[in-house]
Amino acid sequence: MLSNDAIRDEIIRKSISVDNSFDNIEENFINVTLGNSIKVYDAPFLDVTEDTPTKEIIIPEDGLILKPNELYIGRTAEFTKTYGFVPVLTGKEELAAVGMEIHVTAGFGDNGFEGTWTLEIVCANPTIVYPGMPIGQIYYYPLIGNASIEYRGKYFRQIDPTSSRLYREYENTEKEKVKKYVNN
C-alpha cells in the first residue's frame, strides 16, 4: 500500500490523479467527498438484463435524509485517474459507526480507470447527507504484472451517479437463456 509520501510522488508523476488530492492526503489514503446528487431506481423491481430507469435527486446544501434499507446511487465529487496501481475505495469508519455503507460490494478499481467513483449507499438508520461531505478514502496498491492492460469498460470516464450497466453484457439470446433459467 502506498504511504502519503508515495501518493504525493505518484501524483507528481501523474500516475495518480484525484481532484484536490494534495489537500486531502492522509497517512496512506486520499479522502474523497460526496457529489451533489444521487439516483434511486424508479421501477417496481430490478431486472439485471434490462436498463432500469432511475430518478436523480439533487442534494440540497442543508442536506437530504436517506431512508434505511433503500439503495442510493451516489458518486464522489472527485474525478480520479489511476495508472500502475489498484485503487481501493472504502467508507469512512465514522460513517460506518452510524450505519452507513458507501459500497455494497465494488470497492476495487482498475488500472487505467478514469472517472468519478460510483457509491452504492445504504443506511441502517435515517441519515442526513450533504454535498461535499467526506464520504470515503482511496488507498493504492502496486499493480503486479502487465500494467499495459488498462480499463476501458462500460464505466470509463463516468461523471454522474451511474446505475448498473450490467444489462449491456446480455445480448437478446443470452437474456432469454437467463430468464428461462430463472423461471425453471
Side-chain angles (χ1 to χ4, degrees), residues 75-86:
R75 71 168 179 93
T76 60
E78 293 80 12
F79 188 92
T80 71
K81 298 178 186 179
T82 306
Y83 290 91
F85 297 93
V86 176

Side-chain angles (χ1 to χ4, degrees), residues 62-66 100 126-130 133:
D62 60 348
L64 176 71
I65 299 175
L66 303 184
M100 180 187 288
T127 306
I128 300 174
V129 295
Y130 302 90
M133 69 181 270

